[in-house]
Amino acid sequence: MHELGIVMNVIEQVDNVAAESKVEKVTKVIMEIGEVSTVIPDLFTDAFNWAKKKTNYLKDAELELIILEGMTYCRDCKGTYRTVEFAKKCPHCGSMNTYLVTGDEIKIKSIEVV
Amino acid sequence: MEEYKIVEIKEDIRSRNNEQAKQIKKDLAEKKIFYLNVMASPGSGKTTLIVQLVNRLKDKFRIGIIEADIDSDVDAKTIAEQTGVKVMQMHTGGACHITCQMSWEALLELGLDDVDFVILENIGNLVCPAEFDTGATQNLVLLSVPEGDDKPLKYPLMFEVASVVALTKLDVAPAFDFDIERAKKNIAYRNKDAKVFVTSAVKQEGVDELCDYLTEQITKTIRI
Ligand SMILES: Nc1nc2c(ncn2[C@@H]2O[C@H](COP(=O)(O)OP(=O)(O)O)[C@@H](O)[C@H]2O)c(=O)[nH]1
Ligand SMILES: [Mg+2]
Ligand SMILES: [Zn+2]
Ligand SMILES: [Zn+2]
């Protein structure tokens, strides 16, 4: 499962930060996940809850996911639109000359520690 | 209530991976090592093609192989027996892609002092391995005949990141409605710079041409 590989990445990074900042434990991990980032939030949360048991600092950590909307910009008509609905093709003018502005984030925003 | 503190991290997993990949590319270039990342679906012929490439190129270059794709019958040991070059088996724990960090650790474990060409057989998957740059000098993507010539349309990113594409198992083309020209057109639609080779490992066709291309690319990297 794709989510597990990414969760392992996140956990390793957070565990390192926790060790460096000499905290007792991490109580929450807050992440920003883009709508078109290839991460499925439910699977990600399940994987997180499974994988956290094997860590030093995250055993009791809760995961909060902030979902960011996927938005695409059209170079031809300078319009923006929702990526999830229209993918690469601009709904305003039909152009394929477009690029993703937001929505592919898999970002660790912050953690709460005690 | 327990008092808690907030630690800002603000780090994107993929951006971090890309930063690491840049560093690996730089380190490998300094060491004059050409690193080829082979990606494709499971069963598309990665291991078979790698063995044939290595056996043709091992007299010209010092080669090492990293096996990330765990195949039940063809593992690192078999490849080592078939080629005689050094192979290291990565322990991926059933992951669907490898990260740059994993790639770097594998390179170090393989040992970089006695190689000029390293091949990574990535995990069989057309989706997420394309999103995680391994730090490779070039990506070789395989598309086998039974998968269909429309795959470049369905898995755009994989073909966008490819420097070179090998169509494989052309010997079985008559049994499928695979159209080479259509496959080439679909690849070019995603990536007009990708070099395409038409191969059959069984009939040993197209493999020499791919070797010539690789020889030229490797030579450029290691002789500067
Ligand atoms: N007909 C045909 N079969 C092939 C060819 N190359 C590989 N195969 C077969 O395809 C299967 C999977 O090959 P393998 O190299 O293990 O694929 P991998 O999973 O991508 O490493 C094996 O049974 C191979 O013998 C080819 O050129 N033609
Ligand atoms: Mg294999
Ligand atoms: Zn993955
Ligand atoms: Zn437009």
Side-chain angles (χ1 to χ4, degrees):
Chain A
M1 177 174 73
H2 178 60
E3 282 69 15
L4 186 56
I6 297 173
V7 157
M8 293 306 222
N9 250 215
V10 169
I11 279 181
E12 193 190 323
Q13 221 170 313
V14 172
D15 228 25
N16 287 342
V17 172
E20 279 165 26
S21 12
K22 300 195 170 51
V23 302
E24 189 196 321
K25 64 180 183 179
V26 177
T27 50
K28 196 176 202 173
V29 176
I30 304 169
M31 292 191 60
E32 290 176 339
I33 302 290
E35 258 181 339
V36 289
S37 66
T38 73
V39 164
I40 300 169
D42 283 354
L43 295 181
F44 195 79
T45 304
D46 288 349
F48 181 88
N49 288 330
W50 178 82
K52 71 182 184 184
K53 293 178 205 139
K54 291 172 188 160
T55 62
N56 293 323
Y57 297 96
L58 282 90
K59 287 191 181 70
D60 300 320
E62 177 197 339
L63 176 68
E64 181 183 327
L65 298 182
I66 299 164
I67 308 299
L68 303 180
E69 197 172 270
M71 292 300 289
T72 298
Y73 176 79
C74 172
R75 286 192 186 88
D76 289 339
C77 75
K78 320 255 181 272
T80 52
Y81 61 90
R82 272 179 55 82
T83 314
V84 174
E85 273 176 74
F86 305 103
K88 268 190 87 97
K89 190 164 175 181
C90 175
H92 310 302
C93 72
S95 165
M96 295 284 275
N97 189 11
T98 60
Y99 67 91
L100 188 69
V101 183
T102 56
D104 66 346
E105 300 81 359
I106 307 178
K107 189 169 176 181
I108 309 173
K109 190 168 179 282
S110 58
I111 57 176
E112 290 179 9
V113 297
V114 294
Chain B
M1 215 180 99
E2 253 179 322
E3 259 201 42
Y4 69 85
K5 200 173 82 184
I6 294 178
V7 180
E8 299 283 338
I9 298 185
K10 293 201 175 126
E11 200 160 68
D12 192 274
I13 295 291
R14 271 194 300 248
S15 314
R16 180 169 176 258
N17 194 81
N18 289 343
E19 287 308 310
Q20 280 180 318
K22 269 189 214 151
Q23 188 59 44
I24 295 188
K25 284 179 217 270
K26 201 166 145 265
D27 289 353
L28 292 177
E30 274 166 22
K31 288 184 190 300
K32 300 191 185 300
I33 295 172
F34 187 93
Y35 185 25
L36 183 72
N37 174 24
V38 182
M39 297 187 282
S41 309
S44 55
K46 295 184 292 301
T47 305
T48 310
L49 186 64
I50 288 170
V51 167
Q52 294 203 356
L53 293 175
V54 170
N55 283 333
R56 283 168 167 79
L57 295 171
K58 67 186 175 193
D59 293 334
K60 284 189 197 148
F61 307 108
R62 300 172 301 163
I63 306 179
I65 303 173
I66 298 169
E67 235 341 272
D69 192 32
I70 302 182
D71 206 303
S72 53
D73 45 18
V74 191
D75 59 1
K77 203 162 142 260
T78 329
I79 301 177
E81 279 164 15
Q82 288 176 3
T83 62
V85 307
K86 69 172 176 178
V87 184
M88 80 74 52
Q89 176 75 62
M90 265 175 91
H91 299 282
T92 54
C96 54
H97 64 265
I98 68 165
T99 61
C100 202
Q101 179 69 29
M102 292 159 85
S103 157
W104 181 238
E105 285 166 13
L107 285 165
L108 294 182
E109 198 179 316
L110 178 77
L112 297 176
D113 293 334
D114 57 354
V115 288
D116 18 58
F117 178 30
V118 178
I119 302 176
L120 164 67
E121 179 172 349
N122 209 314
I123 293 167
N125 174 345
L126 280 179
V127 187
C128 47
E131 284 163 27
F132 288 84
D133 192 333
T134 56
T137 322
Q138 291 194 14
N139 294 320
L140 164 63
V141 173
L142 273 51
L143 170 60
S144 67
V145 163
E147 293 173 78
D149 52 34
D150 61 343
K151 287 300 165 289
L153 302 181
K154 292 188 176 160
Y155 300 92
L157 189 62
M158 183 53 81
F159 292 87
E160 279 167 25
V161 302
S163 328
V164 48
V165 177
L167 303 179
T168 62
K169 309 195 187 182
L170 261 292
D171 52 288
V172 300
F176 296 87
D177 60 349
F178 189 95
D179 183 332
I180 296 176
E181 290 315 312
R182 200 159 53 210
K184 285 185 173 170
K185 211 180 95 208
N186 291 343
I187 294 164
Y189 177 66
R190 290 306 175 193
N191 180 352
K192 60 180 173 27
D193 299 323
K195 289 250 175 305
V196 182
F197 293 88
V198 180
T199 72
S200 160
V202 165
K203 291 199 172 164
Q204 310 255 333
E205 282 170 1
V207 186
D208 286 335
E209 286 79 356
L210 179 55
C211 277
D212 290 346
Y213 167 82
L214 288 173
T215 300
E216 190 190 304
Q217 299 298 312
I218 299 165
T219 308
K220 263 191 218 160
T221 305
I222 69 177
R223 299 276 145 76
I224 33 172

